Amino acid sequence: MPTRTASQRRAEASIIYDAYLAECPARQLLDRIADKWVSLVVNALADGPRRYSELQRRLASVSQKMLTQTLRHLERDGLVSRTVTPAVPVRVAYELTPLGRSLLPVMRAIKDWAEEHMDEVQAARVTYDTPD
Amino acid sequence: MPTRTASQRRAEASIIYDAYLAECPARQLLDRIADKWVSLVVNALADGPRRYSELQRRLASVSQKMLTQTLRHLERDGLVSRTVTPAVPVRVAYELTPLGRSLLPVMRAIKDWAEEHMDEVQAARVTYDTPD
DNA sequence: CTGTATCCGAGGAGATACTG
DNA sequence: CAGTATCTCCTCGGATACAG
């Protein structure tokens, strides 16, 4: 088996996967993670495991459906692990996997950007919407 | 006028804007930029101005509607500038503004992440989908 | 070349009700 | 508590046709 460095493998991957192409799996993955709910959920799991109800509280006014759906997708993609503690009532904890944690900086950056540049964007909108 | 450091201003902003709240403008902005097309367009503009038709070629199989819509949104939000060169036929160039360029590292990171971790995600999906 | 306008189907997303 | 199951509304997004 040939030995390859991580950067070499990345270089190969960038040849194989090209998100600009509609048919490329990476394009679908981009579509999956470039998502409001994914960003918020991953950010909410930044500091460790969280219970379902904790996430629901943190993400004010996310519907049960979207929260569950997002968590299922993240679990299936290996970004989040789900741990059920058999008790009455049952406790379910969600936690970022190592793979999920590798996405955290990106998700944090996008959320922070939105919060930090809100003023500039709003000013630009006013300018754009104002008839000369 | 009081002098404040950039980090102090950021701290204030993080108090005012909270993307976890549905009503917060930052939440809508997050929804806007956490988007497949935004990521691809901003990345495609990384190396300088691009014409409409260049973008259309680069983003294989983006429809006119989505490309135009995305560019309009980005222009309105002050992330992209639009320059029309009156000629026959007319030339239109799009370029990242300084604000748009501040978003570029984030958009690049998310696209790169998708391309680099595709294999791991696909492996996780197989595991998830395989009945024990 | 760079758009706008319109139609239409598929999926996103909330509200509500029900279950182990 | 942590979901699943519907129902419904609505936006996303592609296809097509037309215009400056």
Side-chain angles (χ1 to χ4, degrees):
Chain A
M1 176 180 171
T3 48
R4 291 169 297 177
T5 64
S7 69
Q8 279 176 324
R9 265 181 278 109
R10 262 197 298 280
E12 289 173 26
S14 71
I15 295 171
I16 300 173
Y17 296 121
D18 182 357
Y20 285 121
L21 306 175
E23 321 75 30
C24 183
R27 163 72 164 272
Q28 270 112 55
L29 180 56
L30 178 64
D31 202 13
R32 171 65 56 82
I33 62 175
D35 176 78
K36 170 185 46 178
W37 299 123
V38 170
S39 166
L40 292 175
V41 167
V42 171
N43 271 288
L45 292 174
D47 297 328
R50 288 288 180 274
R51 298 184 54 181
Y52 184 88
S53 49
E54 288 180 296
L55 291 173
Q56 204 164 25
R57 256 193 311 278
R58 188 81 178 88
L59 278 66
S61 74
V62 62
S63 66
Q64 280 189 347
K65 178 184 173 182
M66 291 323 296
L67 181 54
T68 300
Q69 195 174 98
T70 303
L71 287 168
R72 285 294 165 280
H73 285 159
L74 292 175
E75 188 191 358
R76 178 169 184 266
D77 290 349
L79 299 171
V80 157
S81 67
R82 179 172 178 272
T83 309
V84 182
T85 305
V88 183
V90 61
R91 292 169 64 100
V92 179
Y94 293 92
E95 183 174 14
L96 290 178
T97 64
L99 183 59
R101 212 164 289 119
S102 76
L103 182 61
L104 178 58
V106 183
M107 296 290 97
R108 178 145 40 196
I110 196 173
K111 176 172 171 294
D112 287 351
W113 192 94
E115 291 174 353
E116 287 178 16
H117 295 275
M118 194 59 236
D119 289 327
E120 295 163 79
V121 169
Q122 253 168 351
R125 285 178 183 171
V126 171
T127 303
Y128 186 91
D129 294 341
T130 304
D132 301 323
Chain B
M1 176 180 173
T3 47
R4 291 168 298 176
T5 65
S7 69
Q8 279 177 324
R9 265 182 278 110
R10 263 196 300 280
E12 289 174 24
S14 70
I15 294 170
I16 301 173
Y17 297 120
D18 182 358
Y20 286 122
L21 306 175
E23 322 75 29
C24 183
R27 163 72 165 274
Q28 270 109 56
L29 180 56
L30 179 64
D31 202 14
R32 171 64 56 82
I33 61 176
D35 176 77
K36 169 186 46 177
W37 300 122
V38 169
S39 166
L40 293 175
V41 167
V42 170
N43 272 288
L45 292 174
D47 298 328
R50 289 289 181 272
R51 296 185 54 182
Y52 184 87
S53 49
E54 288 181 296
L55 292 173
Q56 204 165 24
R57 256 193 312 279
R58 189 83 178 88
L59 279 65
S61 74
V62 62
S63 66
Q64 281 190 347
K65 179 184 171 180
M66 286 294 90
L67 181 54
T68 301
Q69 195 174 97
T70 304
L71 287 168
R72 286 291 165 282
H73 285 159
L74 292 176
E75 188 191 358
R76 181 167 115 95
D77 290 350
L79 299 171
V80 157
S81 66
R82 179 174 179 268
T83 309
V84 182
T85 305
V88 182
V90 63
R91 294 170 62 101
V92 180
Y94 293 92
E95 185 174 12
L96 289 178
T97 63
L99 183 59
R101 213 164 288 117
S102 76
L103 182 61
L104 178 56
V106 184
M107 295 291 96
R108 178 144 42 197
I110 195 173
K111 176 173 171 296
D112 288 351
W113 192 95
E115 291 174 353
E116 288 178 15
H117 296 275
M118 194 59 235
D119 288 327
E120 295 162 80
V121 169
Q122 255 168 349
R125 285 177 184 172
V126 171
T127 303
Y128 185 92
D129 294 340
T130 304
D132 300 326

